[in-house]
Amino acid sequence: MFLATLMNLSQYNTGESCEIKYGSGSISGVLGQDNVELGDLLVEDQVFIEATREGSISLLVSKFDGILGLGFQEMSAGDAVPVWYNMVQQRLVKEEVFSFWLNRDPNALEGGELVFGGSDPKHFKGNHTYVPVIQKGYWQFNMGDFLIGNLSTGVCEGGCGAIVDSGTSLLAGPTSIVTEINHAIGAEGIVSAECKKVVSQFGDMIWDLLILGLCESLPSPSGESIVDCNSLPTMPNVSLTIGEKLFILTPEQYVVKIEEGIKEICISGFMVFDVPPPQGPLWVLGDVFMGVYHTVFDSGNLQLGFAEAA
């Protein structure tokens, strides 16, 4: 965990309006400039957005005060210089590398670690597998075949564009293949599952009429699906090919467990997220993947590295 602090809010306000659109909402406001503290580092004259409008409920109710973007300047709103660029240019870090370790234990006191200028060897095992960044903007690379169990889906045999994003909770991808994966692991849309529960109360005849129609056709608004928590021992592994190496996710790793009162709900770690051309289609490897694999973002050599987290 780290703390980013603005020293004197609105030290300098350009008055220039700006907007950023995210997968789950947007923000808009004006550009400002200030010194920013990151841990024990002081980044001088950092341009940032002073958000005056948050365009989604998820942003309004989130328990954080802002978003620290670590993408490339090519996608920066208002062409503002990102904080990581300024850290490098002001020689605040030894290496042009930052790395993430995310702790997936919900009961742990330490939620994870973001290291600027290197990586922490106590949080990964073995060596990292490195792949080149193929397009600057997002941290985008070329991903190979997807396997369910030991069987190839054939979808990414010729390569698929993928990005790594700590701001995405799950692992997101195009509708067609995510639907196939969720079908294989026995997941169904949250709304669809609730519909079946209600219909089941009205007798077998209505159930037979509706189960193959209305309920099956109801998607989840956020693209999420649920699984039976008791079925985890029989669910298949899902593997991603990165740099000619298989990165395996077990059911315990790709299923997110959430406590809801006295009940436990299990959400599939695979959600639908269609990125339109020219940027898409894209896979987004979010926290479900990054929690299993320690991730190095090497801007000096334009590459990404993945190793088993420890």
Side-chain angles (χ1 to χ4, degrees):
M1 178 179 177
F2 71 95
L3 178 66
T5 305
L6 294 169
M7 302 298 290
N8 296 294
L9 188 62
S10 301
Q11 175 184 334
Y12 171 63
N13 187 314
T14 68
E16 181 181 347
S17 60
C18 196
E19 181 182 13
I20 300 178
K21 293 182 179 180
Y22 300 102
S24 58
S26 64
I27 63 170
S28 59
V30 294
L31 293 180
Q33 190 174 38
D34 202 346
N35 295 336
V36 177
E37 284 186 349
L38 286 164
D40 58 355
L41 302 178
L42 178 65
V43 185
E44 298 180 347
D45 302 323
Q46 178 62 49
V47 175
F48 63 97
I49 293 181
E50 298 177 33
T52 57
R53 180 179 178 276
E54 297 176 349
S56 76
I57 294 176
S58 59
L59 290 173
L60 288 171
V61 302
S62 295
K63 297 180 180 180
F64 53 80
D65 298 314
I67 298 172
L68 182 72
L70 292 171
F72 290 97
Q73 188 170 1
E74 279 77 357
M75 68 177 299
S76 176
D79 198 35
V81 179
V83 65
W84 171 244
Y85 282 57
N86 280 329
M87 293 172 72
V88 172
Q89 291 168 4
Q90 295 173 25
R91 300 186 178 182
L92 300 177
V93 292
K94 293 181 179 179
E95 298 179 73
E96 293 184 37
V97 168
F98 59 89
S99 58
F100 275 89
W101 167 69
L102 301 181
N103 192 345
R104 304 312 291 165
D105 179 359
N107 299 315
L109 295 176
E110 188 177 32
E113 183 180 73
L114 168 57
V115 178
F116 290 108
S119 57
D120 189 342
K122 74 179 180 183
H123 287 314
F124 61 88
K125 302 175 184 177
N127 298 318
H128 288 79
T129 296
Y130 284 93
V131 289
V133 172
I134 60 173
Q135 184 172 324
K136 293 169 71 175
Y138 299 112
W139 284 84
Q140 185 173 339
F141 67 99
N142 198 43
M143 185 175 68
D145 196 14
F146 241 92
L147 284 75
I148 302 175
N150 295 317
L151 300 177
S152 166
T153 62
V155 173
C156 292
E157 284 183 318
C160 289
I163 65 175
V164 190
D165 179 26
S166 63
T168 299
S169 299
L170 305 180
L171 199 157
T175 298
S176 57
I177 184 61
V178 169
T179 301
E180 181 181 342
I181 293 172
N182 279 332
H183 177 74
I185 67 176
E188 59 185 352
I190 294 174
V191 175
S192 174
E194 290 298 317
C195 174
K196 291 177 184 178
K197 187 185 298 184
V198 172
V199 172
S200 66
Q201 301 173 14
F202 295 93
D204 293 338
M205 183 179 71
I206 296 179
W207 171 264
D208 292 338
L209 289 172
L210 294 181
I211 189 63
L212 296 177
L214 175 61
C215 292
E216 294 293 344
S217 66
L218 290 175
S220 295
S222 57
E224 298 168 349
S225 298
I226 59 173
V227 297
D228 182 353
C229 296
N230 295 321
S231 67
L232 265 66
T234 62
M235 288 163 57
N237 292 341
V238 176
S239 305
L240 296 69
T241 307
I242 301 174
E244 305 300 324
K245 180 179 179 179
L246 282 181
F247 287 78
I248 299 171
L249 297 173
T250 67
E252 286 289 344
Q253 292 169 336
Y254 66 69
V255 170
V256 179
K257 297 180 181 179
I258 298 175
E259 299 291 336
E260 190 175 271
I262 61 173
K263 294 192 305 180
E264 184 177 64
I265 296 177
C266 290
I267 297 178
S268 165
F270 301 96
M271 66 175 291
V272 168
F273 184 58
D274 292 305
V275 180
Q279 291 180 319
L282 282 177
W283 283 90
V284 184
L285 308 190
D287 297 347
V288 162
F289 180 83
M290 294 178 67
V292 181
Y293 295 102
H294 181 271
T295 306
V296 171
F297 297 77
D298 185 344
S299 60
N301 297 300
L302 286 180
Q303 61 181 1
L304 286 155
F306 307 98
E308 184 181 352

